[in-house]
Amino acid sequence: MDLATLERACATTEPVVARVTPDQYLLGTPCTDWDVHDLLNHLVGTLALGRALLGDVAPEVAMGPGQLPPGDLVGDDPGGAYRRGVEALLAAVDDGAFARSHTTPLGEMPGAALAGFTILDIVVHGWDLGRATGRPVAVDAALAEELLGFAHQAFATQPRRGLLGPEVAVPADAGPTERLVAFTGRTP
C-alpha cells in the first residue's frame, strides 16, 4: 500500500458520500448495527484515525478501529465533512509513512499494513454506503484486486471481526469488487 492507493481509495468513496442527504441517515446498511448516519460518522472518523496513526500526530477524534466516534462528525454536510477529512489525512501523510512503523491502539504496526487497513475500511464502507443509498460504488478493478490480496493476507491468521463478517460465496466469474465485498461478508 502506498500514498497513490490511499488517494485512489478516498476518491472512490467520495462521490457516494457527496450524494448522501440527511433524509437518508436512518436507512439501514450492510453493517447491520449501523444506519447511514453511523456509517458516515465511522468513515469520517476513520479518516481522522488514519491521519493520527499514519501521520504520527495526536488524534482529534477519540475512536478506535471498528468503532463509532463519540459524537456527530458529519452534521448535515457529509460530503464536506468527508472532503475535509480526506484533505487532513493526505496532508498528514508522506511517502515515508508507509515504510515506517507506527504506534496504534493494537501495538506497533508497519505503515503499509496500517494503510492497508485504513484503505480497506474506506473502500468497503464506501461500497456499503452506496448499497444502502441505492448508488453503487464503482471500485477500480486494480484497486479491488489489491485490497482483496491485502485482506486475504492480513486476515489469514486473525479472527474475522469488525469490518469482516463471514465470507459470502460468489460465482467463479465474479468481478474483483464482488469478490472483495464477499470476502468481507457482504452479499454483492
Side-chain angles (χ1 to χ4, degrees):
M1 298 292 159
D2 58 20
L3 184 57
T5 305
L6 177 61
E7 290 170 341
R8 284 185 11 230
C10 291
T12 295
T13 296
E14 185 170 4
V16 73
V17 173
R19 292 188 302 255
V20 175
T21 58
D23 64 311
Q24 295 174 311
Y25 282 2
L26 297 179
L27 294 174
T29 72
C31 303
T32 56
D33 292 340
W34 294 347
D35 59 23
V36 165
H37 192 238
D38 292 333
L39 188 53
L40 287 165
N41 275 293
H42 174 76
L43 267 170
V44 173
T46 295
L47 296 171
L49 182 61
R51 176 190 168 275
L53 296 176
L54 286 166
D56 300 313
V57 296
E60 293 177 358
V61 176
M63 182 182 110
Q67 297 177 348
L68 290 175
D72 184 16
L73 302 178
V74 298
D76 62 357
D77 183 17
Y82 182 84
R83 269 189 308 284
R84 288 186 297 277
V86 168
E87 289 167 2
L89 170 61
L90 296 177
V93 176
D94 58 40
D95 284 327
F98 302 91
R100 65 181 178 267
S101 285
H102 302 271
T103 302
T104 77
L106 305 174
E108 286 294 309
M109 186 176 291
L114 179 57
F117 289 115
T118 302
I119 293 166
L120 183 66
D121 206 61
I122 292 166
V123 170
V124 172
H125 284 317
W127 184 91
D128 291 335
L129 193 57
R131 173 59 63 97
T133 60
R135 298 180 189 265
V137 173
V139 178
D140 173 77
L143 177 59
E145 287 286 3
E146 185 175 355
L147 287 174
L148 184 58
F150 169 79
H152 277 284
Q153 182 180 17
F155 294 102
T157 60
Q158 295 186 28
R160 298 174 72 87
R161 57 188 157 95
L163 174 68
L164 299 180
E167 187 170 359
V168 173
V170 292
D173 63 347
T177 299
E178 290 77 18
R179 291 193 325 271
L180 173 64
V181 298
F183 181 79
T184 64
R186 285 122 173 107
T187 301

